[in-house]
Amino acid sequence: MTSTAAPTIAGATGPAEITDPTDSSVPGDGGPHARRFGLPVALCLVMGNIIGGGIFLLPASVAPFGTISLVAFAVLTLGAISLALVFGRLAERHPRTGGPYVYVRAAFGDFAGFLAAYSYWITAWVSNAALAVAAVGYLAVLFPAIGDHKWSMCLAALTVQWLPALANLAGTRYVGAVQVVATVLKLAPLLLVAVGGLFFFDPANLGPFRAGDQSAVGAVSASAAILLFSYLGVESAAVSAGEVRDPARNVGRATVLGTTGAAVVYLLGTLAVFGLVSHDELISSQAPFSDAVNAMFGGTWGGTLVACAAVVSMLGALNGWTLLSAQTPYAAAKDGLFPKAFAVKRRGVPVVGVLVTVALASGLTVYNYTAGSEGVFEVLVLVTTFTATVPYLLSTAAQLYFLASGRADEVARGRLVRDAVMACLAFGFSMWLVAGSGYAAVYQGVLFLFAGVLVHALMAARRRATGTAA
């Protein structure tokens, strides 16, 4: 017989009725090392995962388009905040670990829920490998010997991956502590430039509003394509809702405040760099924040400062993404859509999910340094920019479904119009993210998703056989 405490599992033809919104802990997964996150840690999780290492290169990346790229930033910020608001509303009704997977499965059934979980999981472990490889470049600035040989670089990348994994395995108590410390340490130099740089701001450095020959719309779209994925991670608190205290209240607040905070740092930081470094120099800069610090205080110590901040930033992002990479498979495994081993928790952390994720990321990292095939790793990373948007698109569609179907238990009537407008904006933003991935990434990403259909088929067959036997 099916326990009344377990979520009802619907067939692939209909939505799943979630009857376990609190996601109660599995026996034996608590203890002194497991601790639910409060609002500050949830806020740091969102900001820490959004702000990875890319911000340290963003000003130089968009400089060729001129200051019109700041308009693209503003547009993207509105889209990201609308998406954050949608996740906050969904989390109020489904405060369970798994985030997008939970919402999508509740609206559209097992198959759609599996696709959301599977695509998010792919994104997490491939992105972790990419973050580790990128971190090695900054580590080589601090310790030049690392960059002397590919094996020393590979070892450094593996170390960067396994340290956050060990912090995760130690328990949610330590995950939260690491996330708070990493967020504070990496925000300090970024805010130094973002806020302090405004006092050294020179409008003559800004350069033209539209630097290229493109139309205004073309320049905004082109710069947006580079900036689009700067906001990946807005769902971080929603995915870990089961580990957040009072998730119906705190997940939404952490999501919106964290996304807004990251947006302010992005926008002010880019604006400050534009005003501190001349346009011609910025276009060719390999370390724009270093150049900005040097312009503010003189000397050449800016490179070391920024390298330290970048390493801390990436370690913090890896710490958060390692947790998220295990949470979605955990939620799916509890519903029978992922292998049962992924549902094992110790000290509040899905240990199998963490170990499998870091092992896959490590294998991809070793492949990157040994295969000798140019561009393969970059293609895989590009694919994740598509797979990351699949849960966003499905989640906003789920919110629209709840609104349009008149599900009284899912929608607050007094906020119906506001929720509908936010959901439509978030859906459009998600579609823009998909379009920004490029044809090749969408094509290859769809192949990755179709490969997961076989996994779903086998898991569905196993569930049916088990249910029949019971």
Side-chain angles (χ1 to χ4, degrees):
M1 294 180 62
T2 303
S3 170
T4 56
T8 301
I9 299 178
T13 57
E17 186 176 336
I18 304 297
T19 59
D20 182 21
T22 59
D23 191 30
S24 58
S25 300
V26 178
D29 70 353
H33 302 290
R35 179 176 295 175
R36 287 182 177 265
F37 301 147
L39 178 61
V41 175
L43 178 62
C44 288
L45 186 65
V46 175
M47 289 192 68
N49 285 355
I50 292 177
I51 303 175
I55 186 174
F56 296 98
L57 292 175
L58 275 180
S61 299
V62 298
F65 303 102
T67 52
I68 196 173
S69 57
L70 296 174
V71 176
F73 245 137
V75 173
L76 289 173
T77 297
L78 291 177
I81 291 176
S82 67
L83 186 61
L85 287 168
V86 168
F87 276 124
R89 293 291 296 119
L90 289 168
E92 287 182 25
R93 296 297 173 180
H94 297 293
R96 298 178 60 221
T97 293
Y101 156 74
V102 174
Y103 318 141
V104 174
R105 180 173 176 267
F108 306 124
D110 287 351
F111 182 63
F114 171 81
L115 285 181
Y118 178 72
S119 59
Y120 194 82
W121 184 56
I122 291 174
T123 300
W125 63 265
V126 177
S127 296
N128 280 2
L131 273 172
V133 171
V136 171
Y138 288 102
L139 278 172
V141 175
L142 302 175
F143 309 101
I146 290 177
D148 290 343
H149 195 276
K150 67 178 182 181
W151 285 113
S152 61
M153 296 172 67
C154 181
L155 180 60
L158 293 175
T159 301
V160 166
Q161 286 178 32
W162 278 93
L163 285 177
L166 293 175
N168 273 263
L169 293 173
T172 52
R173 174 180 182 177
Y174 301 101
V175 174
V178 171
Q179 199 64 29
V180 171
V181 172
T183 301
V184 171
L185 289 178
K186 74 179 175 183
L187 282 180
L190 290 175
L191 290 175
L192 172 66
V193 175
V195 178
L198 298 178
F199 293 96
F200 299 86
F201 192 90
D202 184 357
N205 288 327
L206 290 176
F209 179 68
R210 198 170 73 237
D213 297 329
Q214 294 172 298
S215 65
V217 174
V220 169
S221 298
S223 54
I226 297 173
L227 301 169
L228 276 174
F229 308 105
S230 302
Y231 287 108
L232 294 183
V234 298
E235 74 293 339
S236 299
V239 172
S240 296
E243 278 60 57
V244 177
R245 288 196 297 270
D246 190 9
R249 180 174 182 235
N250 286 333
V251 167
R253 293 170 68 194
T255 301
V256 174
L257 292 175
T259 303
T260 303
V264 170
V265 173
Y266 276 155
L267 198 57
L268 286 181
T270 303
L271 177 62
V273 173
F274 276 9
L276 288 168
V277 184
S278 67
H279 181 258
D280 292 339
E281 182 183 350
L282 185 59
I283 290 177
S284 58
S285 174
Q286 298 298 313
F289 273 82
S290 295
D291 294 337
V293 173
N294 292 338
M296 290 169 64
F297 303 109
T300 58
W301 53 273
T304 301
L305 175 67
V306 171
C308 289
V311 171
V312 170
S313 179
M314 291 182 186
L315 283 172
L318 279 165
N319 180 65
W321 277 106
T322 299
L323 176 64
L324 297 189
S325 67
Q327 296 288 28
T328 298
Y330 163 78
K334 287 188 67 179
D335 294 333
L337 300 183
F338 258 57
K340 187 184 299 184
F342 283 90
V344 176
K345 258 191 174 184
R346 295 289 184 272
R347 298 176 174 179
V349 175
V351 291
V352 174
V354 170
L355 290 173
V356 171
T357 296
V358 74
L360 288 170
S362 297
L364 184 56
T365 301
V366 173
Y367 175 76
N368 174 64
Y369 285 108
T370 60
S373 180
E374 293 295 332
V376 174
F377 187 74
E378 288 76 7
V379 168
L380 286 173
V381 172
L382 186 60
V383 168
T384 67
T385 61
F386 165 73
T387 58
T389 63
V390 173
Y392 293 174
L393 197 61
L394 292 174
S395 295
T396 54
Q399 174 73 335
L400 289 170
Y401 166 80
F402 293 140
L403 293 169
S405 62
R407 293 272 294 274
D409 59 326
E410 309 291 349
V411 180
R413 294 293 181 181
R415 294 185 283 185
L416 181 62
V417 174
R418 190 200 72 179
D419 286 352
V421 171
M422 288 297 103
C424 287
L425 287 174
F427 187 85
F429 177 68
S430 301
M431 286 294 291
W432 195 11
L433 285 170
V434 172
S437 301
Y439 292 108
V442 172
Y443 167 74
Q444 291 157 351
V446 168
L447 292 181
F448 265 81
L449 293 183
F450 282 177
V453 173
L454 176 62
V455 178
H456 175 74
L458 295 175
M459 294 301 301
R462 182 177 180 179
R463 287 203 320 279
R464 181 177 291 273
T466 303
T468 303

